[in-house]
Structures are given as C-alpha cells and as structure tokens.
Amino acid sequence: MVGKKSGKALLREEGLERTDNNMDLTTWPQANMINQKNYYTEYLKRDDQILPLRLQQEERRNRMTTNAKDRDRALAQSKPGEVPAPDIELDIDDDVAMDEAGGLVGQDAFGSKIIVIHPGSQNLRIGLAKDALPKTVPMVIARRWETSESEEQGGEPKPKRLKFDNGITLEPEQMFGDDFASQFATMATELKVHMRAHKRRVLPNSKELIVNYNKRTPPETISEHNDPLRIDWTEVPNDPQKAPAHFTGKEALRIPDNSTPRYKLFWPLRHGWYNEHDYDQKRALFDDIAVIIEEAIKTQLSIPRKKDWPQYACVFVVPDLYERQYVTQILDMLFRDFGFGHVCFIQESLAATFGAGYTQACVVDIGAQKTSICCVEEGMCIENSRINLKYGGVDVTETFVKMMLFDHFPYAEINLNRRYDFLLAEEIKTKFCTLNEGEVSPQLADFHLRASGQDTRKYTFKTYDEILLAPYGYFQPTIFDHSLKLKDRRKLIGRSRDLYDDSPNDPVSTAQSAIIAMTAPPPPTNGHMTNGQSEALNVNAVSTPLRQLPNPLQKFNEQERSSHSAIGSPAPDDDNTPAPQGDGEGSSVKNDADVSLRDDVLPVAALDVAILTSIMHGARNDDRRSRDFLGGVMVIGGGSQIPNFTNYLEEKLKMTRPAFAKDVMIGTPPRELDPQGVVWKGASVFGKLRGTNDSWISRLEHDRLGARVLAYKLIIVSALIMAATGQRPERAYHQDYICRVRYENNLPPPPGSLKMLDIPIDGLDYYASPGFASRLHRSQPINIEADAELGMPIDLVGMPGVFDGDESSIQAPLLIPPVHPKDKSLLRPLSELGKPKYQGGGISFLRRTEYISSDTARARAEAAPKSTPRSPGQRLRKPVDTSKDDPVNVLRAAVKGFNVAHPEDAYIGPDTKDNIKGLDSTPAEAEAWDNPKHPVRSNLKPLDFYPVLPDLEAVTDAGHYIVTKFTANPTQIIDKRDIRMDVGLLRPGDLSETVYAEYQSKMAAYEADSVNNFHPGAPPVNFHFFLPADETSAVNLSKKLDVDDPDRDDHALYTAQGGDGKRVFQLHHQRVYETWRSTAIDANHAHKEVALALHDPELEEGRRDYTLDPKASSSNRSGKAAYYYPVIQKIQLKPHRSKNLAQLGVTARIEDQEDEGKVDAFDVVVEDLDETEQAKRAEHRAELLGEEGETQNGDA
C-alpha cells in the first residue's frame, strides 16, 4: 500500500515549495473573509446614523438646554416669595413647530415667514401662509422672439380649420371634419331626447333659427374713446434695446400680438407635466419656471430683496401622481435659485382636505388642462386611487368655440393663438356655459371684442345647445381634441430610473393603469410592440401576452371577492400585497411596460367612470368604504365652477351605479371657500401645523444629502424612498397602522379567559355616520302645517279693480309709510329695551353739544320710574325748562352767539318784539369763544377762522348752482388733472315728446298719490359734453373769464377762427351723458346745501393790498372769508349707452334719431353782461342782502 504524500512533499516535487523567510508579500493590510453564516452590522440601523433624524434630536436637546437655562435664570431673578410662572416642557418625542426649529418667533409663528406656492398649467397661486386668500398669477412668460405664437406655422388659427387645395376654408359644418360633426350631431340628438323625456320644451327648428340669425348679424363698431371698459395693454418700447427681455403674468397676456419687437408666450407647464413641445433646451424650461415664481414673489408678496429670502420657508404643492424628476428639480430650484431656509412638499388632494376640513373624501380637482382624482383617508392619499386625466377647462373652451363656429358664429376669425381672442373665449365660456337643461333655448347674447390699436366691436349672436354640450365633454371626452397633447413627450426630460437595475421608478397607481388600459389600443398578436415598448420587453416576455385588465366598474357588481390563481404560493388579493417573488426579470419587464404605456397612451376617460374607478381601487372592494367615499366626493378647481355642475355629476354617478344611488353625494368646499383656492388654503394650513416639523427640509440637509433627503422628509412614501435608499422597487405587503400608546393602562388583567364574539355592527355604523344624517336631511322635506290662506283670510270682493287686472290694491306700496310714534317701541330690539330712546346719531358735534345733552337727560328722566326712593344725601335734579323750546327763546340764544363773537355790536336796549335782546352770556361762554376746544378730542386746536359770507360777485342768472358729478373719468388723462375740465361745457338736450309725456304722467301720479308713487325727480335730460382741443385753449379761456387778469382784454387769446371770421374759442363735442341720479332741493330751502370756498388774500401771490378786516364787505372778495354758493340740484352723469331697441321700443328710436343732429363744436366768445343779465343778478343780490344792503352797495 503506497502511502499518501503530504502537501509540502508535492510542492517540493513540483518546485513550488516556499523557500523565503515567511515575510508577507505586501505591507497592505489584508481583510479576512467573513463568515456568511454569522455576521452583523449596525449601518443605517440607528437614528443617530441618519442625518435628518440626528439633526432633529440635536435640536431637541438644544431646546431643552435653552429652556433649562431660561428657567434657572428666571428663578435667580425672581423676588423672594415670588413663584415664577411654570414653563410648559415638551416631551422629547413631541414634534417641534417649524417656526421654533427655524428660529422664527412672535408674529412669524402665524405664517408670515412661510411662502405657499401652488403652480398649475394656467395659473400660479402664491401667498404667505398668514394670508386669507392667495394671489393668482398666470403661469406664463413672454420672451422676445422673431414671431409671436399667432404668427407661427403660417398663422394657422386654433382651432384648426380644414381647407381646400386652393387654401379656401370649408363651410362651418365641414371645417372640423366628419368625426366632430357626427359626434356633435349625436350629442345634440341625445340631449333633445333627454329633454323631451323630462317634459322640457324643445323647438323643432331651433338650430335653423340660430344659424340664420348668426349669419346675417354684422358687428357694431364702438370708438375707443367711447368704450369705458377698454383694456390697458402692456406698453412695449419700440426701441429693441430698451424693450425688456421678458414679461410675466398678466402683463405678458396684455402684450399686443403685433408689438415691436415681437414677444412669444411660453407656458412651462402643460397638462400637469413639463411643456417639452415649446422648448428646445431643458435649462430654458427650468429657468422660465424660476423666473415666473421669482417675479411673483417680488411683485405679489412685496419681498423684492433676495437676500431676505433665506429667512422664509416654502410649502410647495405637487400633483397627486407626481414624477420623481419634477419633485427633485423643484427641490433643487427652491434651495439653489431662491435660497429658502426650509422647504416641504404636500400633494394636491391632501392639501384640499386640509383646506376644506375633511378627514375622508374623494377629491376631484378639475383644473385648466388636467383633472386629478384621489381618495384621501385620515390624512394620507391612497396611492392606488390616484388618477390623472389630461383634459380640463381649456378643452371646454376650445370645444365651445368649435361648436359656435359650427353654428356660424359671427366672429368667424377667432383664433385662440391670439392673446385677446384667448381671453375673450374664456370670458364667453364663463358667462354662457352651463349644465342646466332649463337654460337650453335660443337666447340672445353679445360680447365686445377689444384688440390693441383697433376700435371695439360689439357682436350679437344667439346660442342654443352649445352652452351645455361643451361642458358635457367631461362625460364624453372624445369630443375634445387630444392630437397634440403627447407631442414631443420625453423630448428633453427622460424617465426616472433606478440606479441598480435601470427600471423606471416613478410612482404608479392601479387606478391610473386601469384607465390607461381602457384607453390603450388592444395588444398586438404578432409578437411586436408599438410606441417604443419593444425596447422594454425581452424575448421571453413576448411569448406570454399581457393580461387584459377587466372593466374598472366590474368589481362594483361583485358581492364577493373573486379568487385569482397564480403560479406558486397564492397571495392575498390586495393592492398593496405582492405576488411571490418569481423571475425578477419578468417583474421588471412588466413594470417597464406599465410606465411605457403611461408615457405613450393619453389617459382620457369619462369623469363619472374615472371617479368610480378611483373609489373602487381606493376602497379595495370594501362596501362600507366605497359608500363613505361616494358620500364624500368633493369637487374643486376652476373647471367645476360651471353652473349646476355638481348636481349634474351627482345625477350621472347615480345613473352609472344605481345600487349606490342613495349614498352618492357631491359636495363643494365649505365656509364659502373659492374652489380654485382650496388647495392653496390647505397647504397654508399644513405649513402652520405643529406636527409638520418632520416634513421640513433644511438647507444643511439638502446640501449634504441632495434628493436622498426626500426619503426621510416626504409624507409621500413611494418610489422616492426606494430610489433614495437603493432598494429594489417592489410592492410591499399591506400592514395595519401600529402606534405607541403614551398612557398605559394600570388595571389588573381580567380573571379567566376572554371570548371574542363576532357581533355585526355594520348597520349601526351606517346609521351613526354623518353622511346618513345629511342624506336624511336632504331627502325629508320640512312639514309645514298651515291653512290655505296662511292664517290671513283674504276677501277679494271688496278690493277695487282686482278683477280687472289692477292688483295695486293688494300690493305693498312703493313708499313705505312712516311708523306711528306709538308703534316705534315695537321695532326696538331686545338689547335696546330699558335704554334711552334717543340715539343721537347722524348729528354733528356742534349741534350735539348744544341740544343732545339736554334731550338725553330728558329722555332718561322720562324713562326712569317715578317711584324710585331717594337717599337722604341725594340732590334733586334741576327740572328741565320747557320754555327754552319756544321760538323766541331759540332766537335769543342765537343772538347770544353773535353777541359773544362781536360784543361791540351787541344790542343793549330794551327787549321788545321788534328788537329782541340776546340772552346774557356767562364768562365760561366768552372763554369758550376766545379759546375754542373740540367737544370730544380736546387736544385738537383750531388753525384759522373764516366768516361765512355770500359771494355776490359770483351770483348767476338763476341765483343758484348745480353740482354735477361724473361716474367715470370723462377724459383720457389719468395720471394728472386735466385743466380743460375747468372750462368744460355741458349742454342739456331737448326732451322728446314721448319721454316728456311719460315724465308728466309719473309726476301726475305722484301728485295724486304720493304714498304709493315715487317722485320722478328731475326730467331725464341728456347732456352733451364739450371741451377745448388742447391745454393752451383752456388756459387762454380761463384768462378771459378771470376779471382780475390784466390780459383778459387781449384779443390774441382766442385760439380759433369762427365761421364769420371772428376769433373764438372752439369747444369740441366729447360724448353724450345721461342722468343717472338727480337730487332736487326745494326752492323754499335754497340754502339748505351750499358749497364753500375759502379765500385768504395773504395766501395769494402778487396781491398784498387786500384789507384783512374780518368784517369786510361781501360785495367783493377783498376780505378774508368763507364764501358760500347755494346749491339747488345735484346730478350724477354716466356715459350714454346705445339701448336695446327690443326692450325700449319707440322711445329708443326717437332718441337715436335726435342724436343724429347733435352739435360737433361750439364757438365761444367772452363778452360783458347786458342790462337784462345785470338786472337778474341784482335781484338775486337783493334777496341775499335785503333792500337796505342793495341800496348801500349800489352797483356792487
């Protein structure tokens, strides 16, 4: 038997035996292999090894240290025996508010340092968290470009019209293709059938009437200066060197399309994702988003300095079904471009529930270009219920325009690529579109087209079923145009992929996948995929075709869960429960295929079907949760503001799922919140909550971890966590929520074993839910038991004229009769009982000090009980002297006031009937005149005194003045005062016989019965307004009218030449004004209202020779005084509008015929008064001064 050789012997024979001195081959330390059966590591398994969690713990420790030092300092500084107020200490596990963590205190804690940003496809809503409402800015930027957007592609209009080969546009019925025409006709027919089924009247030839009217109705041209609602367009300098590089927001939308230089509008966000179609570089797209938000912060929030922005925190709203590239790019932008101190994110639907105060709801957000649906429960968005549909209010606008053009819309040149046409279309949609079938009838409507550099055009047209069929596209989205919504998708920004296996890691939703499966074309049978899917599938996957997803509404009909079979171990049928791990390559291929479908197939479905699909996947086939979500559908967004939209949607849901009809309830945001601002409002509430500190990302965390910090800071837990931690994106098993209970139960355990009984409580939960009470309240009418005449028997026999059609005797009078003094106490509220009856409101402080004090005392004395016992030391009140109310005593008191003011002129003779002597004044009253004080505010001091005198030089022929006020600026000068208004001329027009007869009839009715008829006021006269052509003419005319001007007789002041060759001032016609309000003053009380003009010679330049005697004569303005001018009438004028002839009939035609002969200009010549005019003015002076004063002043 041959012995076995050792290893060393074998090495020696082969020449491989080691002959060195056992020295290592290298000095580099060598690590021994680990035992794979028994090894352990603590890497990233403790909180102190994770930076965000470690920073939170350090902040808590620092805060505890600071609180302890403050408490010790307070104890040391407190006085002996004084106990300082206890501080509220937070537990180490409590959350810290963001403002405390960031060093914000005081008023900042209420959101003044938190900026909330909610971007959308069309509008950006931004504001501080403390604001009640956000600022809305269009999400658009205009940059200098070679051509505007309306001039691109050869000026092709939008919506696109079909043309012949020679370039001529087809007829309106054919310009949008046969597909649109057939769908429009089908929808119109179905609407007629539905309306007839609901007993609504449908005219057989309504469509023909609409088309014929729209064909033959020309527009009406209105000059720009006669348009009070003209648009202020953005002014662009003609010099390209001075023109700004960009405009944002509303300024961008108001840039004329033909401006020099040209500007092009860019919308960075379209249909809920990046707008890659209009951009060629990714950096330009991100820069435009940053510029729009930056300009909004500077202009809307008044935070112009970027160096102050690190003091602010930002709450950014992201979509429910977001993309990872979008969130990471926004995070980098908020820190690097804006420099905010803290940032956090929140999903749209979750923010909507915060804003509306809902704990469980199915949120339907209808925006401008996308509609998102998501179920929210207990402050978390259910991931698999998220749906994002690519249509919104802009699609309704475009479809409404197409339908109107189909019916021969009079403004056939409308082009939504033009800025003013786009704004006009949005205005028309908001004004006329509805989902109320009762309004579907031939209706007359109009709109004004305002374009830069053009006169305003007024179009009149008729509408029929277009106003309902356009918003009905939400429930039949095939009528919308989806041809360009996926164009250039993924041209600039690719999919987000996992770092390890390069598989897409954007979040997915089973509800969204179901919608895409409904929209996607059927899978191919030849083993080839389209739209780039072949790149994601390998050869092994081709042999097994993709499983066809069932109808999303099928599971609503199933009473029990359907069983599914799979290869290997079965898994629970739950959206969050994965199948057993099989071939990893196959699961990766399926995920890649799903994301590819998401990019290549446009998710479009009827709104009611999408809502039910979201609820089905959110409730996980649980009947109770499905009913809860159906009873809490909340519709928000600007697209939902169509009248009767919520009722129509509720009816559609009930028709689609009749088994759940009693549970369906569509709600709107409570507390009268704007549906467009609910998401922003919820984000502001979220930013101010105490428990949101864990969601705030600081600058330090972002600088060190970058986008990986989102795994620890986002409330949204999905593929972002997988990608940040390097884990494979796979579905997790569903687990119940487990929380730690802080308060322990110290009771002993119960003796014996417990037995759990399965008691069904579904019925109790159903009747105890708030939704049941709400439905019961809506379904049960209020039972009011009353007789036929409501307790008031009415006998019509004794009422005159009631059977002849005259119901005036049973109608309430137009003028409410005054309440009888004995009945006034019945109108006093309960809170006013026992108080003095006299309230003394509306009286100036001068009269209040003289009369009200005594009246109040008298009222209190009358209201007090007469049998009140009096204490021995109480003094009796001095009885009120009722003789003071005698007219003679009132006159004596008035004379006393003049005696106090001028004691040298006081009458000291006997008190007779002809010569009434004033009451004796007290020293206190004389002191009050010498040193007057304000009755309420004693610190106020009078600055000057003016005697009140009539201005005899300004007496007119009529002896009074008329105050005229314009409701709008009568001239186009808005930045300064137009001096031409000082010499303007108002010429009253003549009343027509018809209008005058109507006015006389109203006046006669008032004189016959002033109780039941209003006073018609002044005659409704139209005034023609004239102004000089320029300021030079106005200045020269003012000099001519100024009697003190030394150059007033200079003939060279005239600026025009009249028809007879004389020099004149020419006043041109501006426009016609009509009387809006008129207040006439009784002639017997002509001085009831006056206008005052303060005149102080010392303040006028160049006039130092005036006398300063306060008793100067009123015959001239040589003295210092406050001159008054009696006002007999006040008139408010508004621009005259062309009235609807169908409403006003003959009267409007007569007025229009009279306006044809209006005067275009007036020739004005300034001349001296003739004898007749001097005599009239002398009579009015005599009325003011009396016969004696007229005699003394002579020809004054």
Side-chain angles (χ1 to χ4, degrees), residues 555-577:
K555 292 187 179 181
F556 272 97
N557 299 325
E558 298 177 359
Q559 300 298 330
E560 298 180 357
R561 283 183 149 187
S562 60
S563 61
H564 299 275
S565 61
I567 301 176
S569 302
D573 185 15
D574 194 286
D575 294 335
N576 289 335
T577 305

Side-chain angles (χ1 to χ4, degrees), residues 180-414:
F180 177 81
S182 61
Q183 288 193 62
F184 187 22
T186 303
M187 294 172 64
T189 304
E190 293 176 353
L191 177 61
K192 289 182 180 180
V193 174
H194 189 269
M195 293 178 62
R196 288 193 180 100
H198 287 74
K199 307 300 181 182
R200 296 189 183 275
R201 183 183 179 185
V202 179
L203 298 178
N205 59 341
S206 300
K207 185 68 69 172
E208 290 77 8
L209 293 175
I210 299 301
V211 171
N212 294 333
Y213 182 86
N214 292 339
K215 281 183 179 180
R216 57 181 174 82
T217 304
E220 176 187 352
T221 303
I222 303 175
S223 57
E224 186 177 2
H225 64 274
N226 287 334
D227 185 9
L229 301 178
R230 55 184 178 270
I231 299 175
D232 295 332
W233 300 96
T234 302
E235 296 183 0
V236 179
N238 295 328
D239 187 2
Q241 301 296 333
K242 299 181 180 179
H246 64 268
F247 290 93
T248 60
K250 296 181 180 179
E251 293 184 351
L253 293 178
R254 293 302 185 187
I255 299 177
D257 291 82
N258 56 352
S259 63
T260 303
R262 292 288 194 272
Y263 282 84
K264 180 182 177 181
L265 297 184
F266 289 91
W267 304 82
L269 299 179
R270 296 273 86 177
H271 309 291
W273 51 39
Y274 287 125
N275 180 15
E276 303 175 67
H277 173 63
D278 295 339
Y279 289 88
D280 297 329
Q281 297 179 0
K282 179 169 59 176
R283 187 68 258 170
L285 173 61
F286 297 152
D287 288 344
D288 282 356
I289 297 177
V291 169
I292 294 174
I293 298 178
E294 180 180 346
E295 292 294 334
I297 294 176
K298 291 180 178 179
T299 58
Q300 302 297 326
L301 304 186
S302 300
I303 311 177
R305 299 187 303 177
K306 294 190 68 173
K307 64 179 183 180
D308 297 335
W309 293 4
Q311 304 175 9
Y312 289 82
C314 176
V315 179
F316 199 91
V317 183
V318 297
D320 300 326
L321 197 60
Y322 55 88
E323 294 183 353
R324 187 176 185 273
Q325 293 278 15
Y326 176 74
V327 178
T328 55
Q329 178 61 35
I330 291 298
L331 176 65
D332 186 73
M333 180 189 303
L334 295 177
F335 277 114
R336 298 190 183 276
D337 296 347
F338 299 149
F340 290 129
H342 293 77
V343 173
C344 75
F345 295 92
I346 184 174
Q347 291 171 289
E348 290 178 339
S349 297
L350 181 59
T353 57
F354 274 95
Y358 287 5
T359 58
Q360 185 179 30
C362 178
V363 181
V364 181
D365 187 359
I366 305 176
Q369 295 185 352
K370 73 173 180 66
T371 299
S372 61
I373 306 170
C374 181
C375 294
V376 182
E377 187 177 24
E378 299 297 338
M380 291 294 294
C381 293
I382 302 178
E383 296 181 6
N384 288 325
S385 67
R386 296 174 293 180
I387 292 178
N388 196 312
L389 306 176
K390 301 306 178 183
Y391 59 76
V394 174
D395 296 275
V396 175
T397 303
E398 183 177 352
T399 305
F400 180 63
V401 171
K402 293 170 68 174
M403 291 181 177
M404 293 302 301
L405 291 173
F406 191 89
D407 292 341
H408 294 262
F409 191 52
Y411 181 36
E413 301 82 10
I414 187 172

Side-chain angles (χ1 to χ4, degrees), residues 3 154 174 550 575 783 916 1046 1057 1068 1118:
Q174 303 173 356
D575 294 335
N783 186 17
I916 297 179
Q1057 187 171 0
H1068 299 274
S1118 60

Side-chain angles (χ1 to χ4, degrees), residues 39-52:
Y39 72 93
Y40 178 76
T41 180
E42 294 183 351
Y43 179 64
L44 293 182
K45 289 188 176 181
R46 297 199 308 265
D47 290 348
D48 56 355
Q49 295 177 343
I50 301 175
L51 178 63

